[in-house]
Amino acid sequence: MAAEAKPQIVSHVNNLNYFSILLLLSFNVASGAGGTWKLLLNDVGISAMHSQLLINDRVIMYDRSNFGPSKISLPSGACRDSPNDVVSKRDCSAHSIEYDVAFNSIRPLTIESNTWCSSGGVTPEGALLQTGGDKEGERKARMFYPCDDESCDWTEVDNALNVRRWYATNHVLPDGRQIIVGGRNQFNFEFFPKTKAPSLYKLPFLSETYDVGQENNLYPFIFLNSDGNLFIFANNKAILLDYNKNTVVKTYPKIPGGDPRSYPSTGSAVLLPIKNLEAEVVEMEVLVCGGAPKRSYLLALYKNTFVKALDTCARIKINDDKPQWVLEKMPRSRVMGDMILLPNGHVLLINGGSSGSAGWELGREQVLNPDLYHPNKPVGSRFQVQNPSTIPRMYHSTAGLLRDGRVLVGGSNPHQFYNFTDVLFPTELRLEAFSPSYLESQYWSIRPRIISLLSHSTVNYGGILRLKFMVFGIGGVRSPVKVTMVFPSFTSHSFSMSQRLLVLDHVELVRIGVWTYEVRVKAPRYKNIAPPGYYMAFVVNQDIPSEGIWVRLQ
């Protein structure tokens, strides 16, 4: 990490052979609504098309930089030349901001090139790597090294990519590099930093999942498997790719029904919490939810017909000998929704609409209620409807987990330009937070409060992580207490890149005082399970998580 970005690091001690299994009967939504909403800022100056939480608890957000001025000026009265801007060739406004969670404040940042529909992720040192975009930004890489004052800003690397990357997906790899997969008319992948020749690798799977006139293979869903290979889902199909040899080692069944789930028929996906990390074969299960039926994009674009979105999720255990998708119903149809892993292992489905498609002006019927998904409950009782927001979050919205357990929600701009009047869904500059029910005051008596380790401490692979925590109320501690680690994901276009949650294996839980406990857990042993870098670590008691602390795994 660059000197200006380096946090203080304190080393820690030690150191049916059936097309599908369709389970749609007896569907019930778990009773009761939950969660609360809070408007944080009424105007952040930009519409948050992309977002990334960094290790100093600040969130970098940005949209695109060639569609006219935003509502926030560049710092110090600066201006920049913008030759590809469709409105003005001189722009004195910012298209990126830094949001300070603690102070609920923003400051403008300077991006020179166009970041429209780009991708990214964090490096092991905690910096944000951002790749691609449109026009002059299509082969750029950009770095943002976090700092604790206002001295840090974007730096840009010319020709960092081999080809244009627009609507691509990044994923952090076990060696700390990032793989960049696909993009518009790109049926290939590459790495950052660049590898030795050949540095561009063909991936026929992306051309096989390309629908003429619709694409439906953009922003593919990518997850690192426990064997070091990559699960890649595009359109309605998935493969397991050995990216080192550029060999497909497994082909999965087509998702039931065959409807597309990738952009612009945008669903979302998560890798469900990873448990039993010491097992010989670690179970890895992917959940894909929502999307749009076949031809929805074309019908919306050319016929002004907005088809009801998909109302199903599909799960698959990717390491099974004969993996099969298991389908289940959601409480509602949802397209352009985000899926966020919460610290207690539940999944939050949030944002989007219930008809139409992703793309300018192509979504309809905003979905204001989030839905909470409980992965370990029986099929038919996994969903719990949450309290609604009052702000539609349609195309170009984002959502991401904060260290305090809230979910930060911003963005929504389904227009080519900023448009605030006489449109169905005005450009949205408001920033809000959703607090899941575990943050409600009724759980105060069982909520853990971590009192040691120092934030930004380091734990080695296979080492023991000791966390002292307090529980003050009469509810006390009930075994099993869990420790989870969440990798901070890069979010854009309804997909959180590199998102993963680990449930650490227990070593010991001891009571060391009236209200004080220590839990000792084993860190993952393999980088395939947990790529190196900073994670948010949480203690979870009776499904109620503590506030997290930053822990560096190396």
Side-chain angles (χ1 to χ4, degrees), residues 498-525:
S498 299
Q499 182 176 213
R500 68 203 291 118
L501 182 149
L502 311 166
V503 181
L504 302 190
D505 291 311
H506 273 279
V507 174
E508 189 177 9
L509 172 68
V510 294
R511 188 168 189 165
I512 58 177
V514 177
W515 310 111
T516 310
Y517 302 80
E518 182 179 78
V519 62
R520 304 170 187 173
V521 291
K522 187 175 291 186
R525 289 190 295 162

Side-chain angles (χ1 to χ4, degrees), residues 363-510:
R364 294 293 187 273
E365 299 181 77
Q366 71 268 22
V367 176
L368 298 176
N369 290 89
D371 295 310
L372 194 61
Y373 182 83
H374 302 262
N376 298 326
K377 288 189 175 183
V379 174
S381 61
R382 288 175 174 160
F383 286 96
Q384 185 177 20
V385 178
Q386 303 296 285
N387 288 321
S389 172
T390 60
I391 303 175
R393 301 290 183 178
M394 302 295 283
Y395 187 44
H396 290 149
S397 301
T398 54
L401 178 68
L402 299 176
R403 189 170 56 87
D404 59 18
R406 294 178 299 162
V407 175
L408 188 69
V409 182
S412 187
N413 185 21
H415 317 293
Q416 185 175 2
F417 307 102
Y418 285 158
N419 198 335
F420 302 100
T421 58
D422 300 322
V423 289
L424 186 59
F425 300 111
T427 301
E428 191 54 68
L429 305 184
R430 286 175 289 182
L431 189 67
E432 61 185 336
F434 176 74
S435 295
S437 59
Y438 56 59
L439 293 174
E440 294 173 4
S441 58
Q442 69 192 74
Y443 299 114
W444 181 89
S445 64
I446 58 175
R447 181 173 298 121
R449 291 157 179 83
I450 298 174
I451 57 175
S452 74
L453 193 71
L454 292 177
S455 196
H456 299 99
S457 294
T458 298
V459 63
N460 295 324
Y461 283 94
I464 302 301
L465 180 65
R466 291 175 170 87
L467 290 171
K468 290 182 181 179
F469 66 95
M470 301 184 75
V471 173
F472 292 102
I474 60 175
V477 172
R478 294 182 187 174
S479 185
V481 169
K482 296 187 296 185
V483 175
T484 61
M485 291 174 59
V486 182
F487 194 87
S489 53
F490 176 91
T491 302
S492 187
H493 290 74
S494 302
F495 184 57
S496 293
M497 302 175 193
S498 299
Q499 182 176 213
R500 68 203 291 118
L501 182 149
L502 311 166
V503 181
L504 302 190
D505 291 311
H506 273 279
V507 174
E508 189 177 9
L509 172 68
V510 294

